[in-house]
């Protein structure tokens, strides 16, 4: 497995990570626990060293799953988790929106350490920017945890460039996580140049467009009642039909390269910079193996130029998230 380094603080991880959220939440009923433990351990056997979770996935159940799965190989992997929502620690009920008060960050980190069966969190992200807590206080609180040896690296998720700069000035930000794919290219405008300038790594979530870029979703697709895509404007039948030319493009490139659409979509994301590490999620072993094939797929300058030219003529229809969720981001 090839590796990449996130940021300038030496956090080396596999060139492709594994997003674990969908194993426990968001895409319908939770997957079989035993099968997911086996899947995560298979990923390790295949060379994956970077695993992404969060307290809110479940809540709590995904961290417990990841912790159990990785406990036997803890010294071989990097675990990233997140704080930032107001969740009752006893019941898991959401009590409100965001909560990044320093005392809450510490409590969440301690609880995550227990659930993850570890004595240190490799990468701790603020999941969403808290408008009620200055980012300088957040950076300071995580910095304290790093100095105490409970956290190794500080990250931000869905944060604006201005917020990233303010946080980085207080304590070094190793990585920023945000959505990025052929279906959502906005980070190319301001975020990626800023991260390159500051020496911060980028961890794109939904690099496959929540499944759309695999070519296995179209206007006729139906989703489970608990699948978050039912509430996403971009996943309405009308939007899916309007965005179909994007999948046609990916399929055309895939056919020319002897690859799958998913592999092309992932390779495109990785090709944007050497400090980008996508974290596609899956609950199926054969899809994991397919995704890992993207690590060795090379899109050369001609391929990328052809794709950029085609992308310029394909309008994207529909917001990437429901309006209420978009308001919770710092973007």
């Amino acid at each position: 497995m090839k590796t990449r380094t996130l940021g300038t603080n030496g956090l080396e991880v596999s060139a492709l990570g594994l997003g674990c959220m969908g194993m426990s939440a968001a895409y319908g009923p939770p997957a079989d626990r035993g099968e997911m433990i086996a899947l995560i351990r298979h990923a390790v056997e295949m060379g994956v060293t970077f695993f992404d979770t969060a307290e809110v996935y479940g809540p709590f159940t995904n961290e417990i799953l990841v912790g159990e799965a990785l406990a036997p190989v803890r010294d071989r992997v990097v675990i990233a988790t997140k704080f930032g929502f107001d969740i009752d620690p006893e019941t898991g009920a959401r009590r409100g929106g965001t909560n990044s008060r320093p005392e809450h960050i510490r409590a969440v980190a301690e609880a995550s350490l227990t659930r993850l069966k570890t004595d240190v969190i490799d990468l701790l992200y603020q999941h969403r920017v808290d408008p009620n807590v200055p980012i300088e206080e957040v950076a300071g609180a995580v910095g304290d945890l790093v100095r105490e040896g409970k956290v190794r690296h500080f990250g931000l998720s869905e944060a604006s460039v201005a917020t990233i700069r303010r946080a980085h000035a207080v304590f070094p930000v190793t990585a920023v996580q945000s959505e990025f794919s052929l279906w959502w290219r906005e980070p190319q405008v301001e975020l990626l140049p800023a991260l390159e300038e500051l020496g911060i790594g980028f961890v794109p979530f939904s690099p496959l467009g929540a499944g759309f870029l695999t070519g296995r979703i179209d206007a006729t697709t139906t989703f489970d009642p608990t699948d978050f895509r039912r509430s996403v404007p971009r996943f309405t039948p009308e939007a899916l039909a309007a965005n179909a030319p994007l999948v046609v493009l990916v399929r055309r490139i895939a056919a020319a390269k002897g690859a799958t659409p998913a592999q092309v979509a992932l390779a495109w994301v990785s090709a944007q910079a050497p400090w980008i590490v996508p974290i596609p999620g899956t609950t199926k072993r054969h899809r994991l193996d397919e995704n890992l094939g993207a690590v060795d797929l090379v899109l050369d300058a001609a391929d990328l130029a052809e794709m950029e030219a085609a992308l310029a003529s394909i309008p994207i229809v529909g917001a990437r998230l429901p309006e209420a969720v978009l308001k919770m981001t710092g973007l």
Side-chain angles (χ1 to χ4, degrees), residues 29-300:
D32 180 83
R33 179 179 179 80
E35 291 179 5
M36 294 306 96
I37 289 174
L39 178 67
I40 292 171
R41 290 178 179 171
H42 174 67
V44 175
E45 293 170 2
M46 296 296 291
V48 177
T49 64
F50 190 31
F51 295 85
D52 185 88
T53 183
E55 61 155 354
V56 76
Y57 302 158
F60 309 145
T61 55
N62 195 245
E63 283 188 324
I64 294 170
L65 171 70
V66 170
E68 181 176 344
L70 294 177
V73 293
R74 182 63 185 95
D75 60 338
R76 296 164 52 189
V77 299
V78 170
I79 300 177
T81 192
K82 312 174 191 74
F83 66 86
F85 290 109
D86 194 9
I87 303 170
D88 188 310
E90 300 298 328
T91 66
R94 290 281 290 272
R95 296 183 294 200
T98 52
N99 184 347
S100 284
R101 297 192 309 275
E103 63 272 20
H104 185 71
I105 294 173
R106 178 171 292 276
V108 171
E110 295 285 1
S112 291
L113 285 167
T114 299
R115 289 190 289 265
L116 291 167
K117 297 181 182 295
T118 187
D119 57 3
V120 62
I121 295 167
D122 298 300
L123 176 57
L124 183 63
Y125 295 100
Q126 182 190 42
H127 208 152
R128 290 293 183 271
V129 173
D130 189 336
N132 300 312
V133 180
I135 195 64
E136 290 82 1
E137 292 185 18
V138 174
V142 177
D144 288 342
L145 292 170
V146 172
R147 285 183 282 270
E148 293 169 22
K150 295 178 179 180
V151 172
R152 289 198 172 105
H153 296 272
F154 173 37
L156 296 173
S157 177
E158 295 274 76
S160 70
V161 169
T163 297
I164 293 165
R165 289 185 184 279
R166 287 169 54 197
H168 194 62
V170 174
F171 192 85
V173 177
T174 294
V176 167
Q177 181 175 133
S178 195
E179 183 171 356
F180 183 50
S181 71
L182 284 163
W183 212 14
W184 177 251
R185 302 188 298 278
E186 188 66 22
Q188 289 178 310
V189 179
E190 293 184 357
L191 180 60
L192 295 190
L195 296 183
E196 183 167 30
E197 172 198 338
L198 298 170
I200 297 172
F202 186 43
V203 180
F205 69 81
S206 290
L208 295 175
F212 177 68
L213 295 171
T214 66
R216 295 186 290 271
I217 293 174
D218 59 27
T220 66
T221 302
T222 57
F223 299 103
D224 184 270
T226 59
D227 192 313
F228 88 100
R229 289 172 292 188
R230 287 173 62 93
S231 64
V232 176
R234 194 166 288 184
F235 279 92
T236 64
E238 297 78 14
L240 289 170
N243 291 317
L246 183 57
V247 175
V248 173
L249 167 65
V250 177
R251 282 179 170 152
R252 175 162 57 82
I253 299 297
K257 304 295 287 188
T260 68
Q263 290 169 343
V264 168
L266 291 170
W268 180 87
V269 169
S270 295
Q272 303 309 303
W275 34 266
I276 292 177
V277 180
I279 50 168
T282 186
T283 58
K284 298 178 176 62
R285 180 175 293 205
H286 68 284
R287 296 301 180 205
L288 171 62
D289 292 341
E290 176 187 353
N291 291 345
L292 293 177
V295 173
D296 296 316
L297 175 60
V298 176
L299 297 177
D300 59 27

